[in-house]
Each structure stands twice: as C-alpha cells, then as structure tokens.
Amino acid sequence: MKRLFTVCTVCFLLTGIACAQSVKSVQSVVQSPCGPVPTEDQLRWQDMEMYAFIHYSLNTYTDQEWGFGNEDPQLFNPSDLDCRQWARVCKQAGMKGIIFTAKHHCGFCMWPSKYTEYSVKNSPWKQGKGDVVRELADACREEGLKFAVYLSPWDRNHAEYGRPAYVTYFRNQLRELLTEYGDIFEVWFDGANGGDGWYGGANETRKIDRTTYYEWPETYRIIRELQPKCLIWNDGSDRGDLRWVGTEAGNVGETNWSLLNHDGEVTWPMLHYGLEDGDSWVPGETNTSIRPGWFYHDTENEHVKSLSKLMDTYYKSVGRNSTLLLNFPIAPNGRIHPTDSLRGIAFNKMIHEVFVNGECRTESVEFTTATDGNADSKAAANSTLYTLHFNRPTAFNRFVVEEDIRYGQRVKKFSLEALVDGKWIPLKDELVENGDGLTTIGHRRIICFPTVTATRLRFTVLDAKCEPIIKRTSVYLAPELTPDIPDSGEKRSSNLHYFFSSPKQMLIDWDSEQTITAFRYLPPQTTREGTVTHYSLWASTDWSNWTKLASGEFSNIVNNPIWQTIKFAPTKAKMLRLDADRLAEGERMAFGDIEVLH
C-alpha cells in the first residue's frame, strides 16, 4: 500500500514528509524511546544550531594564543571596548548566543573576581572598575541572545595550581560566574590542563591527573545546583552534557551519533563520530574560529575564512547533527574587526539565501515501507521509502532531513536518488571525506551534491535501529559560490636552504648575513606525524658559535595546525637551527612550510 500526501494537506511539514506519518510513528513508540534520548535542555541547545565564541584576554595584547601567566594587567586598556557591538555583530551573523572566555589559561579574569588580584580590577581600563563579563551578559540580554562562559581549568598564573587549594579557588570563581550574571546556557571547560607556567613566580612545569584532580562530579553538582538548565561541555573522561568533536577545523564526522558511554575514556573516533551503541546522550559541538587563530592577530587580517569556507563549515557541522560554535576574536581596540563582522553577516545572509529563498516546492510525497509490497530491487528488505514529487522538472542540489530526536537517534543508513529523464540516478554527498556514504541523520543532516534537474526525489531509509521517525525533509537550490583559490604552491621556504642534520634537528641558512626578527613554522596539514610541539631555536654567523634565541611550546598546534611565529630581538645571523624538543607523533620532524622574517 502506498500513501500519497499533497502539499495542501494541513499536516504537511514545511516541504517535507507529511506530519500524518510522523504522528503515526511517534504514537507507536512514544512509550518506548529507542535508546538514550536528549533532555529538554539538550533539545533547546540543539535548536540553537549556531552560537559564537568570543576570545579576548591579555593574549590580545601580547600577540599570543596561550599566555604564560606573567603578563602585566596594565596591558589591558582597550580604547573602544563595546560589548554591544559584539552582540549586534553576532546576532547579525545568525548566532543565537555567545560563549565568552571569562578566564583563559593565563589566569587573567575578565571580571573583578574577589578571589584574585589578577583581573580587570587591576588594569587601567575604566580605572579598574570595569567588568567585561557583566557588560557582555547585559548586551546579550538586550539583543535577545543567550549567554555562556568559558572558564579554563588550567591556570598558569595561580601559585596553587596542581594542589588541592586551587580546586577550591576554581570552584569559587565558577560560583561567581554562575550567580552574578543571570542565566547561563553552557559552561565550557577547556581540555588543556597542566604544563609550564608562571605559577606565582615558580616558573615551572606542573602535571596533574585530569581524571581526578578537579574532582569533576562535585563541580558538576555545583553547576546543576546553581544553574539547573545549564549544559556542561567537557572533553575529559568525566562525561559532560556535550562533547568536543576531536578537531578545531570546523567539521564533525559524516557519521555522527549523539551517543557516548557514560564511563571510560574516549578515543578520537568516539569524539568525531560518536558511538552507535553508547549508553548516554552526549551530542557533538563543533568549534572553530573565523580566523586561523582563536585570539586576534594583525597578521591574520587577510586570512579571515571565506564565505565558501564558512558554508562548508556549516554543512559539516550543523548539517551533520552538530551545533556550530564560531569564534570571533576581539581586536585590541575592544571591538570585532570589520572584516570578521562583514564576513559573518554575509555568512548568515547566504544561509538565508539557500534555506529560505532557495526552497523547492514539492507537489506531493509518497510514503512506502517494505511491508507495503515495495518491489524496488534497490530498496533493502527493511527499508522505508519516501518519494518527493515535483509538479515540473526542478533543479536542486541540497537535501535536508531531520529525525524527531526526542525519541532517540534511529537511522543508520539511507540513500538518495533523483528521477532524471526517466532514470533513477543516485545522489552522493560531495562533502563526504571518508567514503562512509549516507549514514546517520539525527537533529539535521544536509546532503550536498551537484545540481540535478528531476521530477522526483527518492529518500530511502536502508537501515535503522528502530522504526524511523522522520520529522522533516526538504530540497533546495543553493547558488554556486566561487571556491577558495588554493595557494600557488610556492613555499615561503623557497628562498631558504635547509636540511636535517638529525631526525629532530633542522638547519636553515641563506646567502649572506642578515638581521632577522622572527621565525615562522607551519606544521604538516594532513597528519600529526612530525609536528613540533616544543622547540629550541638557535642562531649563528659561522656554524660554530650558536646563540639561543628562544625555546618553548607551540600552543595548541596539534588541534589547530596554523602558522606559529617565534619572535626575538633583532639578531644578525646567517643560519638558524631548530631543535624539536618534542613531537606530537613520530620520531622525525616535519613541516608544511618555514619562513624567516627580517
């Protein structure tokens, strides 16, 4: 038996599957959800779809990604700090909320915490009377945005970090943020924990057991008590409500289950793809920056993500059952840079152009199950098939499908076919990297394919954990965007002579002695193998006498493999030596590019 629904049916849901079928399915399973299901707070969070990160701290004024903890609070004195501008830009960019870095790893607090002197209260800004967290929370409420906070567990400034006293300090600061700034929709705990730091003048490396040191269960209890509707982001072994997706590049796996196990360590595949048989609902949040780095750097003004790249990010995050957390760094003057602002607004306009103006109307939807006697040889024995009919040949290149996740995530595999000139042609997602095909739906799945002109579109659920509950399907015609133009291929190292004197030592020289001011290192872009995480840099004029220019860590280089700049006092040199003191993986140093600045 086949069921035919017309677009004039009152229950027809947008341009997709008829509501009558959804109601039927819901009624049949409402007493027995399929596996773990989201809480009401997780459902509200998932419906936000896009919200903004704001990174702003002393790092903005020291041109760093990770501060060491000894940076002078006197550096914080923006000339034109305007949190309302941040909120307006984020709202125009389609963001539904803002997560603010109230305290990054350097330990500097962007609010006048009564538990430390290392905060805005000891900066020249507003004569020490300012509170960035307060101003942003108020601005968000004025613009109708939700507000959230990032509080780094790691603190490279605090003298007691690594000892029990610091955990009390950390929780006291958390209480301030959760009780003095209104409703908080999410608390974000970074996974970077322990390492070298100032630590009140100790200048040493401190290691902690991240699974036990913070005593997360008690911290979670405090959050639940003070902000019952707040969700917890944490990528450690103590499971929060949301998970990291294993990369800061702006994508989650094409297969993406909103499930993990409550106990035990998580591996990278679990973070990136979820766990099909996980016992807890822990959906993925995709975080990335509109620039290469998280904090503002003048050198990145020409490297703000293109509209094409932002749309690709949208399809690979929101379009893969995730949310998108998009970072807008604050410039030293205290505002979002105009380039970032305009690009974010253009991004939102393009989403509207695709998913509102580009909507293709269907004439009717035909629903068939295998038990209805469907004889199509391509349909699996347990398949559920939906055929969308157009009233004329219609061009389209996007397909959207959603499950009603209130009753669990069910669909494991599905297919798409278009009827073109009387023949069914399979449609493949051109954004799929790993060849897993059309797998998992969840809250929303967007399939992108080259434009076809067809009279019908066939969506077939080939495999599911339980009876599928399809909440919505729809088709769209997206305008063609100019793809990003790749680099010419000419490396900046092309005018340098370099060789490896050992697997972990690179020597670089040039034709004549010059005064140099910085060295730049780009890690490999497709692998962690050989990525330098800790380094020592030396200079010489004669190959015999070497002067140490710098040593340290390339902060966050594994998760965000962007250009790393080592600055030093102007130095006369004819050669440099880069020692890889530590590699992310492997035994041999590797690089994508290198550059010496004069």
Side-chain angles (χ1 to χ4, degrees):
M1 177 181 176
K2 296 183 178 180
R3 305 168 181 84
L4 191 66
F5 303 102
T6 62
V7 291
C8 61
T9 303
V10 175
C11 287
F12 196 83
L13 194 60
L14 296 180
T15 61
I17 302 308
C19 182
Q21 173 57 26
S22 294
V23 172
K24 169 186 177 293
S25 298
V26 169
Q27 290 172 342
S28 67
V29 296
V30 69
Q31 299 302 323
S32 55
C34 185
V37 297
T39 65
E40 289 299 319
D41 296 321
Q42 287 172 320
L43 285 171
R44 280 193 294 270
W45 164 86
Q46 190 95 54
D47 285 338
M48 291 176 69
E49 295 192 350
M50 296 198 305
Y51 40 98
F53 233 163
I54 295 285
H55 274 66
Y56 187 40
S57 186
L58 289 178
N59 295 350
T60 307
Y61 302 94
T62 58
D63 202 27
Q64 299 179 108
E65 283 290 293
W66 287 4
F68 192 66
N70 60 353
E71 293 77 18
D72 190 346
Q74 295 296 306
L75 293 171
F76 190 80
N77 192 23
S79 60
D80 194 22
L81 193 154
D82 187 354
C83 290
R84 286 173 175 80
Q85 186 252 2
W86 308 357
R88 288 194 300 269
V89 167
C90 290
K91 185 174 182 177
Q92 290 176 303
M95 306 294 123
K96 300 300 190 296
I98 293 177
I99 300 179
F100 180 57
T101 52
K103 184 188 79 170
H104 204 255
H105 309 325
C106 69
F108 185 74
C109 297
M110 301 296 281
W111 78 101
S113 174
K114 62 186 176 185
Y115 298 102
T116 182
E117 296 303 305
Y118 199 52
S119 79
V120 290
K121 68 184 180 185
N122 285 314
S123 75
W125 179 62
K126 294 192 171 182
Q127 293 78 50
K129 304 298 183 183
D131 184 341
V132 185
V133 178
R134 171 84 57 205
E135 293 192 12
L136 183 54
D138 291 345
C140 285
R141 276 190 288 272
E142 290 177 13
E143 293 295 332
L145 300 175
K146 295 184 178 182
F147 181 63
V149 291
Y150 165 120
L151 183 67
S152 172
W154 185 21
D155 191 319
R156 301 173 95 173
N157 170 268
H158 202 277
E160 295 300 312
Y161 182 79
R163 303 168 185 144
Y166 172 76
V167 178
T168 300
Y169 167 78
F170 175 67
R171 289 176 179 161
N172 284 335
Q173 290 194 318
L174 184 61
R175 285 189 177 93
E176 286 182 316
L177 293 171
L178 297 184
T179 58
E180 298 179 13
Y181 298 97
D183 291 338
I184 304 293
F185 79 87
E186 184 175 333
V187 174
W188 219 92
F189 296 127
D190 201 300
N193 291 280
D196 57 350
W198 187 68
Y199 301 127
N203 290 309
E204 62 188 16
T205 298
R206 295 184 182 177
K207 298 294 185 182
I208 55 99
D209 182 348
R210 59 182 293 186
T211 64
T212 60
Y213 174 62
Y214 298 106
E215 300 175 355
W216 285 119
E218 174 59 18
T219 302
Y220 288 4
R221 186 197 64 77
I222 294 170
I223 297 171
R224 308 287 190 211
E225 175 187 326
L226 299 178
Q227 292 275 349
K229 296 183 178 181
C230 177
L231 296 180
I232 300 169
W233 187 100
N234 194 344
D235 71 345
S237 58
D238 286 277
R239 215 69 72 235
D241 303 303
L242 311 170
R243 76 175 198 272
W244 184 44
V245 298
T247 178
E248 296 174 356
N251 64 82
V252 68
E254 57 272 14
T255 296
N256 180 22
W257 293 99
S258 294
L259 306 175
L260 285 180
N261 285 331
H262 182 271
D263 299 314
E265 289 293 333
V266 293
T267 62
W268 185 88
M270 291 180 188
L271 291 172
H272 200 59
Y273 301 106
L275 197 59
E276 179 180 336
D277 298 318
D279 59 24
S280 300
W281 190 273
V282 189
E285 176 188 82
T286 303
N287 62 312
T288 194
S289 182
I290 201 167
R291 289 169 172 248
W294 290 97
F295 286 91
Y296 178 88
H297 309 285
D298 278 336
T299 55
E300 294 180 354
N301 286 345
E302 302 302 319
H303 300 285
V304 177
K305 283 184 170 68
S306 68
L307 183 56
S308 175
K309 179 59 179 176
L310 287 171
M311 288 304 296
D312 180 78
T313 298
Y314 179 83
Y315 293 134
K316 292 178 178 177
S317 56
V318 176
R320 290 182 177 174
N321 186 39
S322 177
T323 57
L324 173 58
L325 176 56
L326 181 63
N327 180 62
F328 291 84
I330 304 303
N333 65 352
R335 298 170 68 90
I336 295 176
H337 190 276
T339 301
D340 306 42
S341 171
L342 292 173
R343 197 63 49 80
I345 294 170
F347 175 41
N348 188 36
K349 288 182 177 179
M350 180 53 63
I351 292 173
H352 188 275
E353 180 67 23
V354 174
F355 295 105
V356 177
N357 297 339
E359 182 178 356
C360 300
R361 300 296 297 178
T362 52
E363 181 182 25
S364 61
V365 176
E366 181 182 325
F367 168 71
T368 311
T369 65
T371 57
D372 289 331
N374 174 29
D376 193 311
S377 60
K378 293 185 179 180
N382 61 344
S383 66
T384 302
L385 184 148
Y386 305 87
T387 304
L388 284 67
H389 296 253
F390 304 100
N391 55 14
R392 64 178 63 89
T394 300
F396 53 89
N397 51 25
R398 302 288 184 268
F399 175 76
V400 175
V401 58
E402 300 176 3
E403 292 184 82
D404 193 336
I405 59 173
R406 292 176 299 171
Y407 304 96
Q409 188 178 357
R410 297 161 175 252
V411 176
K412 298 170 62 174
K413 185 177 181 181
F414 64 97
S415 67
L416 277 181
E417 299 163 288
L419 187 62
V420 180
D421 297 329
K423 295 182 179 179
W424 287 105
I425 298 174
L427 302 177
K428 302 296 184 182
D429 192 338
E430 61 184 351
L431 301 182
V432 168
E433 299 98 344
N434 297 327
D436 287 347
L438 303 181
T439 58
T440 66
I441 295 174
H443 176 262
R444 176 170 300 171
R445 184 70 189 273
I446 303 175
I447 305 300
C448 304
F449 43 85
T451 302
V452 297
T453 300
T455 54
R456 296 183 188 179
L457 176 67
R458 187 159 63 190
F459 160 58
T460 308
V461 177
L462 298 172
D463 194 9
K465 299 167 92 174
C466 307
E467 180 184 359
I469 307 176
I470 302 301
K471 181 179 177 182
R472 170 192 174 199
T473 66
S474 40
V475 290
Y476 304 89
L477 178 62
E480 296 292 334
L481 289 177
T482 302
D484 292 343
I485 300 174
D487 294 335
S488 62
E490 179 182 356
K491 289 181 176 290
R492 299 180 185 184
S493 57
S494 58
N495 63 339
L496 300 173
H497 310 292
Y498 63 88
F499 63 94
F500 293 97
S501 57
S502 74
K504 294 185 179 180
Q505 186 176 87
M506 174 193 289
L507 295 173
I508 307 128
D509 72 334
W510 44 93
D511 295 334
S512 59
E513 183 178 298
Q514 300 182 33
T515 299
I516 60 175
T517 59
F519 174 77
R520 303 187 74 213
Y521 168 80
L522 180 70
Q525 296 297 290
T526 59
T527 177
R528 298 181 180 186
E529 188 91 9
T531 294
V532 178
T533 61
H534 294 72
Y535 66 87
S536 296
L537 185 68
W538 307 75
S540 176
T541 58
D542 59 6
W543 290 105
S544 298
N545 300 295
W546 293 91
T547 301
K548 190 174 186 178
L549 299 177
S551 63
E553 176 184 6
F554 289 134
S555 302
N556 203 31
I557 191 172
V558 173
N559 295 325
N560 197 23
I562 62 175
W563 278 100
Q564 309 290 320
T565 302
I566 305 172
K567 296 181 179 180
F568 41 82
T571 301
K572 288 185 177 182
K574 190 178 180 298
M575 59 280 301
L576 286 175
R577 189 180 87 210
L578 178 66
D579 292 335
D581 297 331
R582 193 182 306 171
L583 299 176
E585 293 180 5
E587 299 297 327
R588 182 177 294 275
M589 179 196 307
F591 70 98
D593 202 355
I594 55 173
E595 183 181 23
V596 176
L597 302 183
H598 303 279

